Amino acid sequence: MTPHSCKIGVRYPVLVTSSILNNWQGLRSINGYPGDPIHIEYISIPGATIRDLHHAFRAEYGNTHRPVDVILCSGLNDLIAGSSSDEIMQDIYDFSKTVRSICLGENRAYWSSFAAATLPFPPQLVSLCEKDRKLKHNYRNTLVNITTRIREMNRGDKHPHIPTDMAPCFHTWGVRIMQHNKVIGPANLMENFADHRLVSWKGTKPKQMLHLSDALKLKMGKSIVTYFKVIYRITEDSFRSKNEALAHRSTKAKK
């Protein structure tokens, strides 16, 4: 039995996203991506807010009788529309309640799960070094707040079998990280941000850069696939933390 035929018969893995990961596979004839190794379902609406995606999810899966494992990657459109960090997080919590209300029963192993990926810090919305580039509305602090709260939510999930704390963290993508002497250590701390890697973003000027390049978008999508493989325990070398993964990588490099 393949992972596809085994897993899709029990649970639905679903990526819900706005334009951040819309059409992330790109032109497979050019980039060589062979396709998802397991079946994953997608709700993808460019320009959508979290509430829009929540509505679409309810329309599609509201009456399902199987558990659903959702990962959400959205929120930048909410920022652009003027939503605060509190409003965005409330919309995420409301979405999570809907997902977790699906297929509740005495057997907790069959409960649905919800996680959110942290969001990139686009040059169009964020200036990491204000002395070099000032924005009329710099959303850095708002995104820092949202990132912290998303990670706390993922770690605080009470599902007995789905490790939602393994959800991808995209807040470091397209950002230059300050170098440290430590070989092993967390690489996703926001206080380590130095500046943007402008070559990693679409557009020719920072004010146009809202989305990561097609190459990085493909890698982001692959990390979503890896997340589902990890929570379904069908992948090798899955780690509980980035420290553990870095330590493993360092050990392998010395061999």
Side-chain angles (χ1 to χ4, degrees):
M1 262 182 131
T2 66
H4 176 284
S5 59
C6 173
K7 294 301 176 184
I8 195 58
V10 179
R11 310 181 69 92
Y12 290 121
V14 185
L15 167 64
V16 182
T17 184
S18 55
S19 53
I20 298 174
L21 281 173
N22 180 61
N23 193 30
W24 64 266
Q25 296 186 7
L27 294 175
R28 289 160 53 178
S29 59
I30 295 177
N31 60 38
Y33 182 62
D36 298 343
I38 61 174
H39 179 86
I40 297 174
E41 302 193 8
Y42 299 95
I43 294 178
S44 179
I45 306 175
T49 63
I50 294 168
R51 288 188 181 184
D52 295 332
L53 294 170
H54 186 181
H55 177 77
F57 175 83
R58 284 185 295 184
E60 189 73 19
Y61 294 94
N63 294 321
T64 186
H65 298 292
R66 292 178 180 173
V68 181
D69 298 306
V70 170
I71 184 158
L72 172 70
C73 188
S74 179
L76 295 181
N77 292 322
D78 299 72
L79 272 182
I80 294 172
S83 296
S84 66
S85 57
D86 287 341
E87 291 170 332
I88 291 172
M89 289 308 303
Q90 186 59 56
D91 288 343
I92 292 176
Y93 292 139
D94 290 344
F95 198 159
S96 72
K97 289 177 183 177
T98 295
V99 173
R100 290 167 180 161
S101 68
I102 294 174
C103 202
L104 282 175
E106 293 184 2
N107 190 340
R108 297 192 301 164
Y110 291 98
W111 288 0
S112 296
S113 73
F114 178 92
T118 60
L119 299 170
F121 282 46
Q124 184 185 115
L125 305 179
V126 174
S127 175
L128 298 174
C129 189
E130 290 197 59
K131 65 180 181 180
D132 294 332
R133 188 170 63 91
K134 293 186 178 181
L135 297 176
K136 183 177 180 181
H137 298 290
N138 187 357
Y139 294 97
R140 182 184 187 278
N141 291 338
T142 304
L143 276 171
V144 166
N145 183 283
I146 292 170
T147 300
T148 301
R149 293 166 71 176
I150 283 177
R151 297 176 73 186
E152 290 175 350
M153 179 192 72
N154 292 339
R155 287 193 294 264
D157 183 80
K158 301 303 182 182
H159 196 285
H161 298 289
I162 303 297
T164 53
D165 58 316
M166 300 298 289
C169 293
F170 295 137
H171 60 278
T172 60
W173 292 55
V175 173
R176 200 178 306 277
I177 305 296
M178 295 179 188
Q179 297 298 317
H180 294 281
N181 294 327
K182 294 181 180 179
V183 177
I184 304 301
N188 58 0
L189 298 178
M190 287 166 283
E191 55 263 36
N192 292 338
F193 287 5
D195 204 352
H196 286 99
R197 294 181 181 273
L198 297 182
V199 296
S200 300
W201 299 85
K202 288 184 177 181
T204 58
K205 298 178 181 179
K207 64 181 181 180
Q208 301 170 336
M209 297 176 178
L210 183 62
H211 299 299
L212 287 158
S213 66
D214 289 340
L216 282 183
K217 196 173 185 178
L218 179 63
K219 290 183 178 180
M220 292 168 72
K222 289 179 179 179
S223 72
I224 295 291
V225 175
T226 298
Y227 168 73
F228 284 118
K229 291 174 69 178
V230 167
I231 67 173
Y232 294 150
R233 297 174 176 81
I234 52 175
T235 187
E236 297 179 354
D237 292 342
S238 59
F239 304 98
R240 296 296 303 178
S241 68
K242 285 202 172 185
N243 282 2
E244 189 178 340
L246 287 167
H248 177 77
R249 187 187 308 166
S250 176
T251 302
K252 289 181 69 175
K254 292 177 181 178
K255 291 182 178 181

